[in-house]
Amino acid sequence: LVMAAATLLTTLPVARWKETRRGTPVGVATLRDFFTRPDAVPLLLLLFVFKFGEVFGVAMLKPRLVDLGASLGDVGLLVGTVGFLAGLIGAVTGGLLVNVVGRQRALVGFGLTQALAVLAYVAVGKDTTFAGLAVVVGFEHFAGGLATAALFTCIMDWSREGRAATDSTVQASTVVIATGIASALSGVSASVLGYRTHFELAAVLAMLAALSAGVLFRRITQKEHPCSPAALPSTPEPSTR
């Protein structure tokens, strides 16, 4: 009830805001135009697989903690506090590093880090202390934040001028659909394979996704961004004063 009330309150300023109409309304033709992009297939494939393995594994984190005997309070502290803060720090760190290491290296490097973090769940057992659980959960959420920041930075790069709203929505929706499917399949996997093998499989999927991202990235049309060398003027522009 408190969460519902807070959500309601935050919508009031938006409801009162008067939006200024600009540009041409986006219709079905523009949405169709996205799927006729020459790089649509590698782009959508990268977006679909990049977070699939991580979510496939992490979706079983809470059931695993419960089966290990963790209380509801412990689960909330581990996932809702430690995991959330670590993910937030990871996202900020990823945002700062993505321009330093480059888009492709960030996707591959952060993706492999994400896979390693998922694999760390294999070591979790009944003898794992609360501090040990906090370290593993924190590391995985931090790595997930890194990878997410890199991915959504690229999504902005891959959104074309004049079609940014449609392009970014289709791309973000692809990620959401992929993670929804991964989450739905995770319970079946953990039930059939057991937690250990499930997390191993999730880590392998995450690793393959990170490696494939490096290949698919080269087939996606890139646009210059403010921090790329090509986008920076070689000589100072003359003053217009």
Side-chain angles (χ1 to χ4, degrees):
L1 290 174
V2 172
M3 293 170 64
T7 303
L8 177 62
L9 287 175
T10 57
T11 62
L12 295 179
V14 180
R16 291 173 57 87
W17 182 60
K18 301 299 182 182
E19 183 175 5
T20 302
R21 291 186 176 274
R22 294 185 301 177
T24 305
V26 177
V28 178
T30 304
L31 181 60
R32 187 187 304 116
D33 179 59
F34 178 89
F35 294 97
T36 60
R37 290 175 54 155
D39 59 354
V41 173
L43 172 55
L44 292 174
L45 183 58
L46 188 156
L47 294 169
F48 190 90
V49 303
F50 190 75
K51 297 291 290 184
F52 189 97
E54 186 219 8
V55 174
F56 181 71
V58 176
M60 285 295 102
L61 173 59
K62 291 179 182 178
R64 176 57 169 158
L65 292 175
V66 171
D67 287 351
L68 289 175
S71 66
L72 186 61
D74 287 343
V75 173
L77 184 59
L78 285 168
V79 180
T81 302
V82 174
F84 172 77
L85 292 176
L88 183 62
I89 294 172
V92 173
T93 304
L96 294 173
L97 291 179
V98 69
N99 283 332
V100 177
V101 301
R103 306 305 205 240
Q104 183 178 11
R105 290 180 179 177
L107 282 176
V108 176
F110 297 165
L112 291 175
T113 304
Q114 180 178 252
L116 178 63
V118 172
L119 186 62
Y121 285 133
V122 174
V124 172
K126 289 188 176 296
D127 57 342
T128 306
T129 64
F130 183 86
L133 289 173
V135 170
V136 174
V137 172
F139 174 48
E140 190 281 319
H141 280 70
F142 175 82
L146 286 175
T148 300
L151 179 62
F152 277 84
T153 299
C154 289
I155 285 178
M156 289 186 283
D157 284 348
W158 297 331
S159 298
R160 299 163 296 175
E161 185 177 357
R163 300 179 177 88
T166 301
D167 283 5
S168 61
T169 300
V170 172
Q171 292 178 85
S173 297
T174 302
V175 177
V176 172
I177 291 170
T179 55
I181 294 173
S183 181
L185 294 176
S186 63
V188 178
S189 172
S191 178
V192 173
L193 302 176
Y195 285 117
R196 181 183 180 88
T197 305
H198 168 74
F199 286 123
E200 290 174 342
L201 174 60
V204 170
L205 291 175
M207 179 188 67
L208 293 176
L211 295 176
S212 66
V215 177
L216 294 170
F217 185 90
R218 302 189 189 99
R219 300 179 58 187
I220 299 172
T221 303
Q222 302 298 311
K223 74 177 182 181
E224 297 175 352
H225 52 86
C227 293
S228 66
L232 299 176
S234 56
T235 58
E237 294 185 3
S239 173
T240 56
R241 295 182 62 182

